[in-house]
Amino acid sequence: ERSTSLEWLTNLESVLFAQKTKHVSDIFLTHGHHDHQGGVVALIKRLKQLGMLPFPPRIHMRKVKGGKFPPKGFECDDIEDGHVYVLHGGTSTLQAYHTPGHTDCSVCFVLKEDFILFSGDSVLGCGSTVFEDLSDYMASLAKMRDLMLCAPCQPRGEEGAGDTPSALHTICPGHGLVIRGGGLQKIDEYITHRTEREEQIMACLREAKSEPKSSLQIVDAVYRDMHLNLILKLSAQGSVIS
């Protein structure tokens, strides 16, 4: 997904060659931030050079009417909440879930046969993430937590795939390391962290009744135990305003 460097493209090529892939049929985007959708054009160009595009791939991204992050430089199919994509000749099943908060168009994907949740930037492999809407984001964290516990998955090649609920065990985030075996705990950490931050902000507001504080002053009070550069401070300010 990422486009901030070409390392991701080199890594992707190594996987494609290892799997002896001859054609890339679909490209799925978790959201419209530039460091995700910005890689689409570069990826298609490279796949053409490698002879892996005898026909154009289908590109999938959640479309939001009036949204902040429309597709740029390519056409795409809308991703509907709960839609199931059958891939690789029926051997892989990818189900999409709308998980707004980080952006209004954020989605995550469950690769059912491999018990994997692709979380995009809603859950990262290191640190916490930013969000546009706290209420939406908390609801999406709860939704992903439920998926970790009871997404309908079945090991590849077995009959009745999807009939028996089974826990996911791995989260592949948009940034950071893959979270293996501790996905549920990671989501719980995110929920706890955001709840504690919200309580700290509300406490700060209650203390400031007689003397109103700006959002940056609240950031300085809530994050006083951390050294924040300007970029991190502005990011935290966005969280406070949300």
Side-chain angles (χ1 to χ4, degrees):
E1 282 197 349
R2 300 187 61 195
S3 63
T4 51
S5 74
L6 292 179
E7 182 182 358
W8 66 271
L9 193 52
T10 302
N11 292 339
L12 181 59
E13 285 181 32
S14 66
V15 173
L16 293 175
F17 287 133
Q19 299 294 326
K20 297 182 179 179
T21 301
K22 295 181 179 179
H23 172 63
V24 174
S25 62
D26 296 84
I27 297 172
F28 295 91
L29 297 167
T30 59
H31 61 291
H33 275 164
H34 176 69
D35 61 330
H36 291 258
Q37 72 158 304
V40 170
V41 174
L43 174 58
I44 290 176
K45 179 180 178 180
R46 184 58 180 150
L47 291 174
K48 286 181 179 178
Q49 292 173 344
L50 296 171
M52 292 182 178
L53 282 187
F55 50 86
R58 294 180 296 271
I59 303 169
H60 309 268
M61 190 174 83
R62 176 81 176 184
K63 295 180 181 179
V64 177
K65 186 176 181 180
K68 297 179 182 178
F69 306 102
K72 295 182 179 180
F74 57 89
E75 297 293 327
C76 67
D77 295 333
D78 190 17
I79 295 176
E80 296 183 9
D81 185 35
H83 187 77
V84 177
Y85 299 90
V86 179
L87 307 171
H88 297 160
T91 62
S92 295
T93 310
L94 193 72
Q95 187 158 13
Y97 297 90
H98 186 208
T99 48
H102 177 67
T103 66
D104 54 7
C105 60
S106 288
V107 297
C108 68
F109 299 96
V110 171
L111 184 59
K112 296 185 174 186
E113 290 76 18
D114 295 301
F115 302 90
I116 293 173
L117 173 71
F118 292 94
S119 62
D121 286 1
S122 295
V123 175
L124 303 180
C126 59
S128 59
T129 191
V130 297
F131 50 86
E132 294 178 347
D133 187 292
L134 179 58
S135 178
D136 283 347
Y137 183 60
M138 295 300 287
S140 291
L141 286 176
K143 188 174 186 175
M144 287 186 284
R145 189 182 194 279
D146 288 343
L147 288 173
M148 293 300 299
L149 289 170
C150 59
C153 300
Q154 184 96 6
R156 194 182 308 280
E158 294 190 12
E159 294 297 325
D163 292 340
T164 306
S166 181
L168 301 175
H169 54 60
T170 299
I171 294 179
C172 290
H175 305 261
L177 299 176
V178 173
I179 304 165
R180 303 182 188 278
L184 183 62
Q185 291 84 350
K186 174 61 71 173
I187 294 174
D188 283 341
E189 287 175 14
Y190 267 52
I191 293 173
T192 299
H193 175 69
R194 289 269 61 94
T195 301
E196 289 176 348
R197 283 288 188 231
E198 185 176 14
E199 291 172 352
Q200 290 170 342
I201 292 168
M202 294 306 297
C204 187
L205 290 173
R206 286 192 293 269
E207 293 172 2
K209 277 185 178 180
S210 59
E211 186 180 348
K213 294 179 181 285
S214 69
S215 55
L216 281 176
Q217 287 175 319
I218 295 174
V219 168
D220 289 336
V222 171
Y223 295 84
R224 58 180 175 270
D225 57 335
M226 298 173 61
H227 173 70
L228 300 178
N229 60 32
L230 179 60
I231 294 177
L232 290 177
K233 183 172 286 192
L234 291 176
S235 175
Q237 182 187 26
S239 298
V240 168
I241 293 173
S242 294

